[in-house]
Amino acid sequence: MNRKLAALALTGVVLLSTVGLGSAALLGSGQAGNQASTVTVSATGTATAEPDRAVVDLAATAEADNATAATERLAENVSTLRDALTDGNLSVESVDTTSYSVFQRTDNGTTTYVARQSFAVTTTNTSEAGAVIDTAVASGATEISGVAFAISDERRQDLRADAIDEAVDDARAQAEAVADSTGLTLGEVRSVSTGDGSGFLVERTADAGTTVEPSPVSVSATVEITYDATAD
Protein backbone atom coordinates (compact mmCIF):
# COMPACT_ATOMS: atom_id res chain seq x y z
CA MET A 1 0.00 0.00 0.00
CA ASN A 2 1.44 3.32 -1.01
CA ARG A 3 1.28 5.90 1.71
CA LYS A 4 2.07 9.54 1.72
CA LEU A 5 1.79 12.28 4.26
CA ALA A 6 -0.23 15.20 2.98
CA ALA A 7 0.65 18.72 3.85
CA LEU A 8 0.28 18.53 7.58
CA ALA A 9 -0.18 21.85 9.23
CA LEU A 10 -0.25 22.88 12.83
CA THR A 11 -3.66 24.50 12.93
CA GLY A 12 -3.75 25.51 16.52
CA VAL A 13 -1.44 25.83 19.49
CA VAL A 14 -2.84 26.70 22.85
CA LEU A 15 -0.76 27.29 25.91
CA LEU A 16 -2.81 27.49 29.08
CA SER A 17 -0.75 28.37 32.17
CA THR A 18 -1.67 28.72 35.80
CA VAL A 19 0.47 29.19 38.86
CA GLY A 20 -0.01 28.01 42.42
CA LEU A 21 -0.62 25.03 44.64
CA GLY A 22 -4.22 24.57 43.55
CA SER A 23 -3.35 24.47 39.83
CA ALA A 24 -0.42 22.18 40.38
CA ALA A 25 -2.63 19.73 42.21
CA LEU A 26 -5.28 19.91 39.49
CA LEU A 27 -2.73 19.04 36.82
CA GLY A 28 -0.99 16.52 39.02
CA SER A 29 2.41 18.21 39.13
CA GLY A 30 2.74 17.62 42.85
CA GLN A 31 5.17 20.53 43.24
CA ALA A 32 4.14 23.84 44.81
CA GLY A 33 4.96 26.90 42.76
CA ASN A 34 5.72 25.00 39.53
CA GLN A 35 4.12 26.38 36.43
CA ALA A 36 1.66 23.87 34.96
CA SER A 37 0.65 24.12 31.30
CA THR A 38 -0.93 22.25 28.45
CA VAL A 39 0.01 22.16 24.79
CA THR A 40 -2.77 21.47 22.28
CA VAL A 41 -1.98 20.71 18.64
CA SER A 42 -3.98 19.67 15.59
CA ALA A 43 -2.66 17.75 12.60
CA THR A 44 -3.96 15.97 9.52
CA GLY A 45 -2.61 12.80 7.96
CA THR A 46 -3.35 11.28 4.58
CA ALA A 47 -2.90 7.74 3.25
CA THR A 48 -3.23 6.75 -0.40
CA ALA A 49 -3.87 3.47 -2.20
CA GLU A 50 -4.73 2.21 -5.64
CA PRO A 51 -8.51 1.88 -6.18
CA ASP A 52 -10.29 -1.47 -6.26
CA ARG A 53 -13.60 -0.13 -7.54
CA ALA A 54 -14.73 1.96 -10.51
CA VAL A 55 -18.13 3.64 -10.37
CA VAL A 56 -19.72 4.74 -13.64
CA ASP A 57 -22.55 7.27 -13.39
CA LEU A 58 -25.07 6.88 -16.21
CA ALA A 59 -28.75 7.34 -17.00
CA ALA A 60 -31.48 6.09 -19.32
CA THR A 61 -34.41 8.15 -20.57
CA ALA A 62 -37.62 7.47 -22.48
CA GLU A 63 -40.17 9.82 -24.04
CA ALA A 64 -43.88 9.51 -24.83
CA ASP A 65 -47.00 11.65 -25.17
CA ASN A 66 -48.18 10.68 -21.69
CA ALA A 67 -46.50 9.88 -18.39
CA THR A 68 -47.65 6.27 -18.21
CA ALA A 69 -46.27 5.39 -21.61
CA ALA A 70 -42.98 7.14 -20.83
CA THR A 71 -42.46 5.19 -17.59
CA GLU A 72 -43.39 1.90 -19.25
CA ARG A 73 -40.95 2.54 -22.08
CA LEU A 74 -38.25 3.47 -19.58
CA ALA A 75 -38.84 0.27 -17.62
CA GLU A 76 -38.23 -1.76 -20.77
CA ASN A 77 -35.05 0.18 -21.54
CA VAL A 78 -33.75 -0.22 -17.99
CA SER A 79 -34.44 -3.95 -18.01
CA THR A 80 -32.35 -4.34 -21.18
CA LEU A 81 -29.62 -2.16 -19.71
CA ARG A 82 -29.43 -4.11 -16.43
CA ASP A 83 -29.34 -7.45 -18.26
CA ALA A 84 -26.43 -6.30 -20.40
CA LEU A 85 -24.43 -4.98 -17.45
CA THR A 86 -24.94 -8.04 -15.26
CA ASP A 87 -24.76 -10.88 -17.80
CA GLY A 88 -21.42 -12.08 -16.41
CA ASN A 89 -19.16 -10.62 -19.08
CA LEU A 90 -18.24 -7.74 -16.77
CA SER A 91 -17.17 -7.70 -13.12
CA VAL A 92 -20.17 -5.58 -12.15
CA GLU A 93 -20.78 -5.66 -8.40
CA SER A 94 -23.94 -3.54 -8.33
CA VAL A 95 -26.26 -1.38 -10.41
CA ASP A 96 -27.83 1.09 -7.98
CA THR A 97 -30.55 3.60 -8.81
CA THR A 98 -29.49 7.11 -7.78
CA SER A 99 -32.49 9.09 -9.04
CA TYR A 100 -35.82 8.71 -10.83
CA SER A 101 -37.94 11.46 -12.36
CA VAL A 102 -40.81 12.07 -14.76
CA PHE A 103 -41.27 15.55 -16.19
CA GLN A 104 -42.94 17.46 -19.02
CA ARG A 105 -41.16 19.18 -21.86
CA THR A 106 -43.02 21.55 -24.17
CA ASP A 107 -41.67 22.48 -27.60
CA ASN A 108 -43.67 24.55 -30.06
CA GLY A 109 -46.88 23.80 -28.20
CA THR A 110 -46.29 20.04 -28.10
CA THR A 111 -45.97 18.42 -24.67
CA THR A 112 -43.71 15.43 -24.27
CA TYR A 113 -43.32 13.37 -21.09
CA VAL A 114 -39.79 12.31 -20.23
CA ALA A 115 -38.97 9.56 -17.76
CA ARG A 116 -35.38 9.40 -16.52
CA GLN A 117 -33.58 6.94 -14.24
CA SER A 118 -29.93 7.31 -13.26
CA PHE A 119 -27.58 4.65 -11.92
CA ALA A 120 -24.22 4.14 -10.25
CA VAL A 121 -22.66 1.04 -11.79
CA THR A 122 -19.84 -0.38 -9.67
CA THR A 123 -17.26 -2.76 -11.08
CA THR A 124 -14.58 -4.51 -9.03
CA ASN A 125 -12.21 -4.45 -12.00
CA THR A 126 -11.02 -0.88 -12.48
CA SER A 127 -9.73 -1.65 -15.96
CA GLU A 128 -13.31 -2.40 -17.07
CA ALA A 129 -14.60 1.16 -16.65
CA GLY A 130 -14.41 1.78 -20.40
CA ALA A 131 -16.11 -1.55 -21.15
CA VAL A 132 -18.94 -0.69 -18.77
CA ILE A 133 -19.43 2.60 -20.61
CA ASP A 134 -19.45 0.91 -24.03
CA THR A 135 -21.88 -1.78 -22.90
CA ALA A 136 -24.22 0.73 -21.30
CA VAL A 137 -24.32 2.97 -24.37
CA ALA A 138 -24.93 -0.02 -26.66
CA SER A 139 -27.76 -1.18 -24.40
CA GLY A 140 -29.82 1.98 -24.09
CA ALA A 141 -28.00 4.38 -21.76
CA THR A 142 -28.53 7.93 -22.97
CA GLU A 143 -26.18 9.74 -20.56
CA ILE A 144 -22.72 9.02 -19.18
CA SER A 145 -21.90 11.48 -16.40
CA GLY A 146 -18.42 10.28 -15.48
CA VAL A 147 -16.27 7.75 -13.69
CA ALA A 148 -15.13 7.74 -10.06
CA PHE A 149 -12.45 5.45 -8.70
CA ALA A 150 -13.02 4.22 -5.16
CA ILE A 151 -12.05 1.62 -2.58
CA SER A 152 -14.00 -0.90 -0.54
CA ASP A 153 -15.15 -0.05 2.98
CA GLU A 154 -12.59 -2.44 4.46
CA ARG A 155 -9.71 -0.81 2.61
CA ARG A 156 -11.03 2.63 3.51
CA GLN A 157 -10.89 1.73 7.21
CA ASP A 158 -7.31 0.51 6.78
CA LEU A 159 -6.36 3.76 5.06
CA ARG A 160 -8.02 5.81 7.78
CA ALA A 161 -6.00 3.97 10.44
CA ASP A 162 -2.81 4.74 8.51
CA ALA A 163 -3.84 8.39 8.18
CA ILE A 164 -4.44 8.61 11.94
CA ASP A 165 -0.98 7.14 12.60
CA GLU A 166 0.56 9.79 10.39
CA ALA A 167 -1.42 12.57 12.06
CA VAL A 168 -0.50 11.42 15.59
CA ASP A 169 3.19 11.23 14.71
CA ASP A 170 3.10 14.73 13.26
CA ALA A 171 1.13 16.09 16.21
CA ARG A 172 3.76 14.75 18.63
CA ALA A 173 6.57 16.30 16.60
CA GLN A 174 4.78 19.63 16.50
CA ALA A 175 4.06 19.56 20.24
CA GLU A 176 7.70 18.80 21.04
CA ALA A 177 8.81 21.70 18.87
CA VAL A 178 6.40 24.03 20.66
CA ALA A 179 7.55 22.80 24.07
CA ASP A 180 11.20 23.26 23.18
CA SER A 181 10.66 26.78 21.90
CA THR A 182 8.69 27.87 24.97
CA GLY A 183 10.80 26.31 27.71
CA LEU A 184 8.42 23.49 28.56
CA THR A 185 8.85 19.78 29.09
CA LEU A 186 6.18 17.75 27.34
CA GLY A 187 4.32 15.25 29.54
CA GLU A 188 1.62 12.67 29.09
CA VAL A 189 -1.33 12.93 26.72
CA ARG A 190 -4.27 14.53 28.48
CA SER A 191 -6.90 14.15 25.74
CA VAL A 192 -7.23 13.06 22.13
CA SER A 193 -10.01 13.67 19.62
CA THR A 194 -10.20 12.51 16.02
CA GLY A 195 -12.19 13.60 13.02
CA ASP A 196 -12.66 12.38 9.50
CA GLY A 197 -10.86 14.25 6.83
CA SER A 198 -11.71 13.99 3.18
CA GLY A 199 -12.07 10.80 1.21
CA PHE A 200 -10.96 11.56 -2.29
CA LEU A 201 -12.71 9.62 -5.03
CA VAL A 202 -10.69 10.79 -7.98
CA GLU A 203 -13.15 11.39 -10.81
CA ARG A 204 -12.52 11.34 -14.51
CA THR A 205 -14.93 11.72 -17.38
CA ALA A 206 -14.69 9.55 -20.42
CA ASP A 207 -16.25 9.15 -23.83
CA ALA A 208 -17.53 5.78 -24.95
CA GLY A 209 -14.77 3.65 -26.40
CA THR A 210 -11.94 5.32 -24.52
CA THR A 211 -9.78 3.67 -21.89
CA VAL A 212 -10.19 5.19 -18.45
CA GLU A 213 -7.01 4.91 -16.39
CA PRO A 214 -7.47 4.31 -12.64
CA SER A 215 -6.38 7.09 -10.29
CA PRO A 216 -5.20 6.72 -6.67
CA VAL A 217 -7.67 7.20 -3.84
CA SER A 218 -6.73 9.11 -0.68
CA VAL A 219 -8.30 9.17 2.77
CA SER A 220 -7.37 11.72 5.43
CA ALA A 221 -8.01 12.03 9.16
CA THR A 222 -7.44 14.78 11.71
CA VAL A 223 -6.40 14.57 15.35
CA GLU A 224 -6.34 17.11 18.15
CA ILE A 225 -4.11 16.16 21.09
CA THR A 226 -3.59 17.95 24.38
CA TYR A 227 -0.39 17.19 26.30
CA ASP A 228 0.45 18.07 29.87
CA ALA A 229 3.57 20.22 30.09
CA THR A 230 5.70 21.66 32.89
CA ALA A 231 8.12 24.57 32.93
CA ASP A 232 11.81 23.59 32.76
Side-chain angles (χ1 to χ4, degrees):
M1 179 184 301
N2 295 327
R3 294 170 48 184
K4 66 179 183 180
L5 181 62
L8 301 177
L10 176 65
T11 60
V13 176
V14 181
L15 299 180
L16 304 176
S17 300
T18 56
V19 180
L21 288 172
S23 297
L26 175 63
L27 296 178
S29 68
Q31 298 181 20
N34 278 6
Q35 187 179 36
S37 305
T38 62
V39 177
T40 299
V41 294
S42 297
T44 300
T46 300
T48 302
E50 292 302 312
D52 59 9
R53 299 286 190 280
V55 183
V56 179
D57 293 321
L58 55 87
T61 58
E63 301 181 1
D65 58 6
N66 63 78
T68 299
T71 56
E72 289 176 349
R73 189 170 298 172
L74 176 63
E76 294 176 359
N77 293 348
V78 166
S79 178
T80 299
L81 178 61
R82 283 185 179 276
D83 288 344
L85 291 171
T86 59
D87 66 358
N89 292 325
L90 298 171
S91 303
V92 171
E93 181 179 59
S94 62
V95 181
D96 300 317
T97 297
T98 55
S99 69
Y100 188 96
S101 61
V102 180
F103 57 92
Q104 296 181 18
R105 186 182 66 221
T106 302
D107 295 314
N108 299 321
T110 300
T111 298
T112 301
Y113 289 83
V114 181
R116 180 181 184 276
Q117 188 169 358
S118 62
F119 303 91
V121 181
T122 302
T123 174
T124 55
N125 185 343
T126 57
S127 65
E128 287 185 354
V132 169
I133 292 171
D134 290 342
T135 299
V137 170
S139 304
T142 55
E143 301 173 33
I144 304 294
S145 302
V147 180
F149 293 101
I151 53 177
S152 65
D153 290 341
E154 181 179 356
R155 293 189 70 192
R156 180 172 294 279
Q157 290 301 318
D158 290 341
L159 283 188
R160 185 173 186 275
D162 292 342
I164 289 174
D165 287 344
E166 297 283 5
V168 168
D169 289 345
D170 184 67
R172 179 73 188 189
Q174 297 284 1
E176 289 175 346
V178 171
D180 288 344
S181 66
T182 54
L184 296 172
T185 298
L186 210 61
E188 298 297 321
V189 172
R190 171 176 288 201
S191 65
V192 179
S193 62
T194 63
D196 290 327
S198 300
F200 303 102
L201 305 184
V202 182
E203 296 188 5
R204 292 186 178 180
T205 57
D207 295 327
T210 62
T211 299
V212 185
E213 295 297 334
S215 300
V217 176
S218 296
V219 174
S220 63
T222 61
V223 297
E224 182 173 284
I225 305 178
T226 298
Y227 298 88
D228 286 328
T230 55
D232 292 338

